[in-house]
Every structure is written in C-alpha cells, then in structure tokens.
C-alpha cells in the first residue's frame, strides 16, 4: 500500500495516479471474488490462502522490476480474505468465534499499520527493494502454510485432548 503512489509515478507517470491504481486493484479484488463465488466448491479455502500468497508474491516481484503487475496483487488478496474468514469460521469453536474474529481483525489491522510504517521510509529509499521484500514476505507466508500442517492442532483448539 505504501508503494502505490510511487508505483503510480513509475508506471503511470505521476504519483497522483496512485489513487487510480488503488481503485483498479480494488476492482480487481472484487472481480476475483465474484469469479470465485460462481464456483463455491471448486477450490478449498486452504488452497486459496496459500495460492493467493504466491500470486501476491509474483505480482510484487514483477512490480519490483517496473512491470505493471500491481493489479494481480489484489486478484490474490481479495479471495484470500474471504478464504481466511471461511477457515476461521470452520476452525473456531462456536463459543469463541466472536473473540477469534475480533482478535484476528485486530491483529490484521495492527500488522497492516506496522507494515505501512516500515514500508513508507523503505519505499522512499528503494521502491524495487521494498517491493522485493514484500514479495519475499508473501512467498514465506505461502511456505509457512506447508510447514504448519493445517488441521494438526484442530483437536486441541476444539478442546478434544487425546
């Protein structure tokens, strides 16, 4: 997000065009969600989460080399949020669901703020470097999915100690 004005300048010729880029990426997220909504059982939420992280990593890596692939980031980000909600709903016990959703939202907002605070000065110093770092973080997020086996702690979370 902190790179959008600078990408607007590099890709579209003016920092003020970053707002147009932001609108375009939001539309891309909406279109991706609408497309996936047409096929609700075709891909599991777990798959969408890791695959969308890889899509975001690829888009950010392309943007680091001044390729106008920033729209693809939101194509991955939109469905990822919907899939995250589906997984939270599936995994959270009924009695804790509200707390888990609230805590998750708080952590997401805090992470976004911390990321923006770090990315702003970094982007001013090196836009390609910041985009490459963001791509690396997204790729690591996808890899973590495979390291932490989904469902491994499901019994403990639901209080079914074995």
């Amino acid at each position: 997000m902190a790179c959008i004005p600078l990408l607007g300048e590099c890709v579209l010729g003016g920092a003020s065009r970053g707002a147009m880029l932001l609108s375009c990426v939001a539309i891309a997220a909406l279109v991706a969600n609408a497309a996936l909504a047409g096929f609700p059982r075709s891909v599991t939420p777990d798959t969408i989460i890791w695959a969308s992280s890889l899509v975001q990593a690829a888009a950010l890596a392309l943007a680091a080399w001044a390729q106008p692939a920033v729209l693809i980031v939101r194509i991955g980000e939109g469905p990822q949020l919907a899939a995250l909600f589906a997984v939270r709903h599936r995994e959270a016990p009924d009695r804790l669901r509200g707390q888990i959703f609230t805590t998750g939202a708080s952590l997401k907002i805090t992470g976004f703020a911390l990321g923006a605070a770090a990315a702003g000065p970094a982007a001013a110093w090196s836009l390609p470097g910041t985009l490459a770092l963001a791509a690396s973080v997204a790729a690591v997020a996808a890899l973590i999915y495979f390291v932490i086996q989904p469902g491994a702690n499901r019994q403990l979370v639901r209080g079914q100690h074995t």
Side-chain angles (χ1 to χ4, degrees):
M1 192 61 67
C3 296
I4 294 276
L6 296 173
L7 282 171
E9 185 173 8
C10 291
V11 175
L12 300 174
S16 63
R17 297 195 177 158
M20 186 173 71
L21 270 178
L22 187 57
S23 296
C24 289
V25 295
I27 290 168
L30 182 63
V31 168
N33 277 341
L36 282 175
F39 307 97
R41 303 270 187 244
S42 61
V43 182
T44 67
D46 302 290
T47 301
I48 290 172
I49 288 175
W50 68 260
S52 61
S53 292
L54 290 178
V55 167
Q56 291 175 46
L60 289 164
L62 287 171
W65 287 287
Q67 301 298 317
V70 71
L71 297 178
I72 300 171
V73 172
R74 292 290 181 161
I75 288 172
E77 191 174 303
Q80 187 179 50
L81 182 60
L84 178 64
F85 286 164
V87 169
R88 280 185 192 161
H89 183 76
R90 180 188 72 207
E91 298 294 329
D94 290 341
R95 63 185 169 75
L96 297 176
R97 193 166 289 139
Q99 291 175 326
I100 289 171
F101 270 77
T102 303
T103 302
S106 297
L107 290 171
K108 181 179 172 79
I109 291 168
T110 301
F112 184 85
L114 291 173
W125 180 66
S126 171
L127 179 60
T130 303
L131 291 167
L133 177 62
S136 300
V137 169
V140 167
L143 292 175
I144 287 173
Y145 173 85
F146 294 104
V147 172
I148 301 172
Q149 292 299 313
N153 296 321
R154 196 175 290 171
Q155 290 180 343
L156 293 176
V157 170
R158 292 194 178 148
Q160 300 170 353
H161 302 285
T162 56

